[in-house]
Each structure stands twice: as structure tokens, then as C-alpha cells.
Amino acid sequence: MKKWWHDKVAYQIYPKSFYDTNGDGIGDLKGIINKLDYLKELGIDIIWLSPIYCSPMVDQGYDISDYYNIDPSFGTMDDMETLLKETKKRNMYVIMDLVVNHCSDKHEWFRKALEDPDGEYGEYFYIREGKGNKPPCNWRSYFGGSVWERIPNTNKYYFHAFAKEQPDLNWENPKVKEEIYKMINWWLDKGLAGFRIDAIINIKKDLSFQDFEADGDDGLCDMSKMLEKVIGIGDMLKELKEETFDKYDAFTVGEVFNAKEGELYKFIGKDGYFSSIFDFDMEVLGQEQSNRWYLNKDFTTNQLRDVIFKSQIEALGIGFKANIIENHDEPRGASRYIIDGECNDISKKALAIIEVMRRGIPFIYQGQEIGMTNNKVDCINKFNDISTIENYDRAIKEGFSKEEALRLVNKFSRDNARTPFQWDNSINAGFTKGTPWLQVNENYKEINAKLQIDDKDSVLSFYKKLINLRKSNEYKEVVVYGEFIPDLEAYDNVIAFYRKGANKCLMVIINYQNKEQIINFNKTYKILINNYKDLKFVNNELMLKPYQGIIIEIL
Ligand code: TEU
Ligand code: CA
């Protein structure tokens, strides 16, 4: 059955770094309203806002102290309502980040829990007695250290999967669930189109809290060990959607890393828990353990191609994944998926084809469309992100030199994607008239939106072309619903596939390497999109230039 969101294109805004209108160095809701026409022009339908709720910002808004209000640094509820009105006018939709695995330690529920751990609000969290002088078990939080934090003057500990300022909410408590459902419906009633659902796979814990074998020098073990084993998340997610999203035909995207093999249909199938889930297969390539970046391995283009194919095929006949090449937790796609020294407008356009032409819902992250790249930071103190600093410290504890640790966090830091949006070549890239909360990438004079808007050969214009193709009357059906069929796998470093629809068949061929590649080819075709001016085709041979990417219609 067709759904309203199937043919849409989504865009993630990281509000703090998008556009600042009052000179405090922090992007705001008015800034987003100001740039809606830019997004509309790009072809965006759905905007996902990273959290803008009240927050002490220990984890940039992913620590919420009040779910019903807007953090003053972003604006007011009036601004939010204006944003909803202005998007509606433009036939655009807004989804917000739903962060309900945990809240902030400043949330009133948690403050009350600390006052009386054995009382009603203690039950809103996971509070357990320590084992002798030690925490209840040896699981490692995603941001390092134990998942348990001792409550002062007691032998009780509370559970936090992320930072200690992000206590996990107790999803086994019906009252907590009721509060969460009420809050979700309150927002949907306001006119939100849905949610991106944060860290949701963590809501189900194995309540036996037993130790696992340590996998690091810290004597702790990755939480994934527990998540792989625990059962029962399905019931929670089913109830969640029935009590909320279903009633509104909302669009939901789950941040799900650990869907078990063969269980995708439960998440995004016809009666799935969510409309879609992110495809993180490219992002976790080479990753040894969650959030221990210094252990990450390099990967080849063939490996990259293989994970893309595998993930695409997995979703066929089941549902639609949300396709990304970067987000606010990841390095810039152009820096991660293009070899250093080969990153240029041509290769960025090749990557853009992968973003938009996979089957699923494209989610473009702010700045991706102009080819923003990783930032270079020369000193650990210049990072802001909690996870970056923690990774650096841990790498050093585990024996890496300071230089090596700095190099590695530069490569993977979440701040790479969080530097301010580069609007133009004026001071601070036109992001703010004040002092930006995070250093602007120094390449803003070469990479900015203003330079690219009127340049028909820019990365930005190329994204527009791709989105236009996806939305055109002629090719919409095949780009949105067409099957995904891999091809040319015998060629190294070539990423090629068909999108086969009811009446049309498109083929994507990308020579994803810095040298020419000849490909035997005996089909009749029409070129729809090409990141070079021409395409050499002689005697049944396609001669692809370095990083040449084409979309052709097979006739
Ligand atoms: O991320 C969840 C998550 O699993 C992250 O730990 C992710 O693996 C990591 O950031 C990659 O480096 C979500 C949000 O997207 C993230 O920004 C938050 O910090 C986190 O939840 C806690 O709310
Ligand atoms: Ca501001």
C-alpha cells in the first residue's frame, strides 16, 4: 500500500548550527524559518529537527529537561508554531527528535527520584543496589565508563546508557509509558508529521543486569552484548505505535542499530513498528565496537559497495529504509567515503548519486548538499562533543599517543558534522553575526551555499537535479518504487545497479575510483544524469572517467 511519505525527500537540521538570527552564536528556530525557501528550492519535503526541547545541553539537546517547551536558546513555542505554519504553506512537513530512552538529570522526574529513590519517581528510572562496593553490573555506557552512577550517600545506583546526565527512563513502568504517550500525542496534535526516534533499541533492558566478559582495559563490556540477547522490545514498540503514531498516520524513523538478522520486517514491514529505520550499514563499516573510534578499521570500495547492496536487497519486498551518508553523529560523508586527496566536486557528486538513487527515503544532512567536509582541529580542547573528548581520553588510556588519538578523533568526531552551516563567504560563513558556538570550518570561502546556488555545475545544483529526477512525473515511479538490482560486480570499485519499475528501467553506474575504467556494455540507453559533461561510448565499451557517475534509462 502506498503511503504519503514514500516519495518524499527528507533533510536533517541540526538547529544549533543551521542559522543564527540574533547574534548569540547559536542557530535558532527563526533561522530555520528564514531558510525554508532555500530548502524548498532544493526539493525538500520533510524536515527533521534535532532536539530543540529544554535541555542543559550536556549532549546537545539529547538530554531533555522539559519535553513540553522549547529551549530558550532556540526560541519560543510561538516560533515553533510559526515554523509549523510556514512549512505547511510550502507543503513541507516537520518531524522532531523523540528522545525517550532517557531524559536529563535536570528533568523534574529525576530530581524527585534523587530526593527519594524508593518513592514513586524512583520507579521512573532503573535504580538498583550496588554489589558490595561495586555497581550492579559491568556494562559500559556509550560515552564511556559504567552505565551505573552512584546516588550520593547511598549504595544505590541509577542506570544511564549514555552520559551520566542522561538517566534511562524505566519503560517497564506503565506510568512512564503513559507520560511518554501523552507527550507524543500532544506534539502530534500540534501538527507535527512524525518523529525521528532516538536510540530506541535501548529501551528494553535485561533486568537481571548480569555481568558479561570484559572487552576492554576498563573491565567493562559493550552494551550490545546485552541488547543482542534481550527479548521483548517488540511488545514495547508495538504498544508505542498503537498508542500514538498509528492514530495520526505519522511518519516515524527509528534509530535502530541492532535489528536482528531476518527481523527487518518487524520494524519496517507492513505492520512494522516504524515507517522506516535508518540504514547505518555504511556508517558502521569498519567499526569494531560502538563509540570506540580508535578501533575502527579502514575499508575498501568493494566492501562499501557490498554493504550497500546487501542492505538494499534486505529491504526489498519489506519496506523502505531511510538512506543517509552522514548525520550529526557521523563524520562528513565526503570525508569518510572518499579517499583523502580524491575529494572534489566530481567525487562528491558520485556520492550524491548513492544518496538519492538507493531505494528508500533520502535523508540529506545539512551541508551535505554543498559538499561540506570534516573539520581539522589541532587541539583536543577545541572539541565540544562529549563523545569526542571521551574517545580521546580512552584512546590515550589504552596506549595511543596524543598525536594518534587526536588524529583519530579528528577523523570520527561528531563535531565534524556539527560545525556551522556555510552560507556564504562573509565572516563566520554567514552563520552568525556573533561568535559561533563551535568553530566554523576554515574552508568556508571555497565551500558555501551562496557560491553554489547560481552555479549549474555545483554540488548543490547536482543534488537538485537528482531530487528533480526523483520527483519528475516521468521517473517518479521507478525512482521511488523500482526494484534494486545489483550489476557489474565483477569490476572492482564500480558501484552499479538497476532500478527497475513497472514501466521503466534505470541504471546507475559509478566508477568509484580515481582512474578510468572501461566497461563492456551493449545496451541502448538515454543519459539522464552525468557528473561529467560527456560520456564516452565506443564499440560497446563505456569509458568512465575517475569518479564518473551516470544515471541512464535503458531503452
Ligand atoms: O545516538 C545513539 C547512538 O547509538 C550513538 O551512541 C551513536 O552510536 C554515536 O553517536 C555515534 O558516534 C543518539 C543520538 O543520535 C546522539 O546524538 C545522542 O548522543 C544519543 O542518541 C543519546 O541521546
Ligand atoms: Ca540564536
Side-chain angles (χ1 to χ4, degrees):
M1 200 180 55
K2 293 196 172 168
K3 292 280 192 186
W4 68 266
W5 43 267
H6 280 163
D7 60 356
K8 301 294 182 267
V9 176
Y11 187 93
Q12 179 188 356
I13 292 184
Y14 197 69
K16 196 167 184 180
S17 303
F18 194 56
Y19 187 55
D20 173 27
T21 56
N22 64 351
D24 64 357
I26 294 175
D28 40 53
L29 285 171
K30 286 203 168 77
I32 298 172
I33 297 166
N34 200 292
K35 298 294 184 186
L36 284 180
D37 289 327
Y38 167 82
L39 297 175
K40 183 73 192 170
E41 182 63 23
L42 174 59
I44 301 306
D45 309 290
I46 299 176
I47 297 171
W48 152 28
L49 301 179
S50 274
I52 50 169
Y53 314 87
C54 289
S55 166
M57 301 285 163
V58 170
D59 186 21
Q60 301 302 356
Y62 284 91
D63 46 323
I64 298 173
S65 53
D66 180 356
Y67 288 94
Y68 291 93
N69 276 299
I70 305 293
D71 194 88
S73 62
F74 295 125
T76 62
M77 192 58 82
D78 275 353
D79 294 337
M80 185 62 200
E81 269 150 21
T82 310
L83 175 65
L84 289 171
K85 241 186 267 146
E86 290 297 317
T87 44
K88 197 157 181 214
K89 245 193 233 165
R90 293 168 175 80
N91 279 322
M92 294 164 95
Y93 305 81
V94 177
I95 66 176
M96 279 170 92
D97 224 300
L98 183 65
V99 189
V100 285
N101 172 67
H102 46 268
C103 59
S104 159
D105 63 342
K106 299 290 173 316
H107 194 288
E108 116 176 83
W109 297 334
F110 191 69
R111 284 194 285 118
K112 288 185 180 158
L114 282 191
E115 276 163 26
D116 180 12
D118 299 317
E120 182 187 352
Y121 286 94
E123 285 296 313
Y124 274 48
F125 300 89
Y126 299 100
I127 296 179
R128 295 289 185 279
E129 290 291 325
K131 274 201 294 202
N133 231 348
K134 281 171 44 195
C137 70
N138 75 339
W139 307 348
R140 183 188 299 110
S141 77
Y142 291 108
F143 294 156
S146 170
V147 295
W148 297 101
E149 180 72 14
R150 194 183 202 132
I151 302 179
N153 308 319
T154 69
N155 192 31
K156 294 184 197 306
Y157 292 74
Y158 69 87
F159 185 99
H160 60 92
F162 294 88
K164 67 178 189 322
E165 295 86 353
Q166 295 167 297
D168 282 41
L169 287 162
N170 179 3
W171 277 74
E172 312 284 344
N173 180 348
K175 274 199 202 137
V176 169
K177 291 194 288 183
E178 204 179 292
E179 287 281 5
I180 291 173
Y181 303 155
K182 189 179 91 190
M183 180 273 291
I184 293 174
N185 291 333
W186 186 85
W187 278 105
L188 290 170
D189 282 332
K190 262 195 181 308
L192 277 194
F195 291 96
R196 173 268 185 186
I197 306 169
D198 188 70
I200 192 67
I201 216 71
N202 294 285
I203 62 174
K204 180 76 196 180
K205 275 85 173 160
D206 179 349
L207 298 178
S208 66
F209 293 119
Q210 50 176 292
D211 285 355
F212 288 94
E213 197 187 321
D215 57 22
D217 296 357
D218 53 6
L220 304 176
C221 79
D222 204 89
M223 278 241 305
S224 58
K225 299 226 175 78
M226 178 276 290
L227 292 174
E228 275 158 25
K229 282 181 65 182
V230 69
I231 48 172
I233 181 126
D235 297 334
M236 284 182 177
L237 297 180
K238 186 164 176 285
E239 183 182 297
L240 166 64
K241 91 169 182 142
E242 285 169 358
E243 295 291 331
T244 59
F245 317 133
D246 266 2
K247 302 182 188 168
Y248 297 80
D249 196 17
F251 172 60
T252 56
V253 192
E255 190 199 22
V256 175
F257 278 95
N258 323 50
K260 294 175 183 141
E261 191 85 24
E263 296 202 337
L264 186 67
Y265 75 97
K266 295 190 182 169
F267 288 86
I268 61 169
K270 200 171 120 294
D271 297 311
Y273 312 133
F274 306 116
S275 311
S276 183
I277 62 172
F278 288 109
D279 179 355
F280 287 119
D281 287 7
M282 280 171 78
E283 282 64 34
V284 300
L285 191 55
Q287 182 180 299
E288 294 278 297
Q289 272 186 23
S290 47
N291 287 33
R292 285 170 92 192
W293 303 331
Y294 46 91
L295 300 178
N296 288 2
K297 301 266 187 309
D298 289 340
F299 52 83
T300 64
T301 298
N302 285 355
Q303 287 172 318
L304 181 66
R305 171 186 65 192
D306 294 348
V307 296
I308 293 173
F309 288 2
K310 182 163 176 263
S311 173
Q312 283 282 297
I313 289 166
E314 186 194 12
L316 288 177
I318 293 180
F320 293 84
K321 293 192 183 182
N323 296 325
I324 61 165
I325 62 161
E326 63 198 57
N327 66 25
H328 67 294
D329 291 333
E330 299 294 331
R332 288 288 180 178
S335 301
R336 177 147 159 83
Y337 302 113
I338 301 170
I339 293 171
D340 255 356
E342 299 178 7
C343 186
N344 52 42
D345 282 5
I346 293 286
S347 52
K348 286 175 186 176
K349 290 174 189 173
L351 199 54
I353 297 178
I354 297 176
E355 167 72 74
V356 180
M357 290 305 288
R358 280 178 284 172
R359 189 175 161 283
I361 320 298
F363 266 73
I364 296 167
Y365 178 72
Q366 69 179 42
Q368 177 187 334
E369 77 278 19
I370 57 169
M372 281 178 65
T373 58
N374 277 359
N375 198 15
K376 284 195 194 68
V377 178
D378 55 13
C379 165
I380 187 66
N381 297 330
K382 291 188 187 155
F383 286 102
N384 177 294
D385 169 37
I386 179 172
S387 170
T388 304
I389 294 160
E390 202 281 323
N391 248 282
Y392 177 83
D393 291 343
R394 204 173 344 152
I396 287 180
K397 264 193 212 130
E398 294 191 18
F400 289 79
S401 69
K402 285 189 172 164
E403 293 69 37
E404 193 58 4
L406 189 63
R407 187 182 73 80
L408 288 167
V409 295
N410 258 295
K411 211 167 152 187
F412 295 105
S413 172
R414 307 197 298 177
D415 279 349
N416 280 312
R418 299 177 180 186
T419 63
F421 191 100
Q422 292 161 210
W423 290 106
D424 58 40
N425 64 7
S426 70
I427 189 155
N428 297 323
F431 160 72
T432 178
K433 294 211 157 49
T435 309
W437 72 276
L438 186 67
Q439 196 183 39
V440 174
N441 191 317
E442 61 188 28
N443 65 17
Y444 72 90
K445 293 211 162 115
E446 295 85 59
I447 302 176
N448 66 61
K450 184 146 184 254
L451 269 179
Q452 298 191 20
I453 284 175
D454 298 320
D455 173 1
K456 64 176 188 4
D457 290 325
S458 66
V459 175
L460 178 63
S461 299
F462 196 77
Y463 266 96
K464 284 185 194 166
K465 263 186 226 162
L466 289 167
I467 294 174
N468 281 338
L469 179 76
R470 182 178 159 96
K471 297 195 157 185
S472 66
N473 284 334
E474 218 180 335
Y475 296 103
K476 189 179 183 147
E477 192 274 340
V478 57
V479 179
V480 174
Y481 293 103
E483 215 182 311
F484 181 96
I485 307 169
D487 196 22
L488 306 181
E489 284 167 283
Y491 294 91
D492 281 334
N493 307 323
V494 169
I495 303 179
F497 53 87
Y498 297 94
R499 297 296 315 279
K500 198 169 181 312
N503 307 305
K504 284 190 183 296
C505 180
L506 304 186
M507 185 174 189
V508 171
I509 310 177
I510 305 169
N511 176 29
Y512 206 90
Q513 59 190 334
N514 209 17
K515 59 172 199 219
E516 289 189 12
Q517 174 71 52
I518 294 177
I519 285 169
N520 295 320
F521 200 74
N522 58 6
K523 299 189 165 72
T524 333
Y525 63 85
K526 173 169 128 192
I527 300 187
L528 303 181
I529 288 188
N530 181 357
N531 62 353
Y532 277 83
K533 295 236 154 24
D534 53 3
L535 175 66
K536 249 198 192 162
F537 185 47
V538 193
N539 296 333
N540 282 345
E541 281 183 341
L542 277 177
M543 276 174 277
L544 296 178
K545 301 215 172 79
Y547 284 99
Q548 181 156 26
I550 55 172
I551 304 173
I552 55 184
E553 179 176 1
I554 306 292
L555 302 171

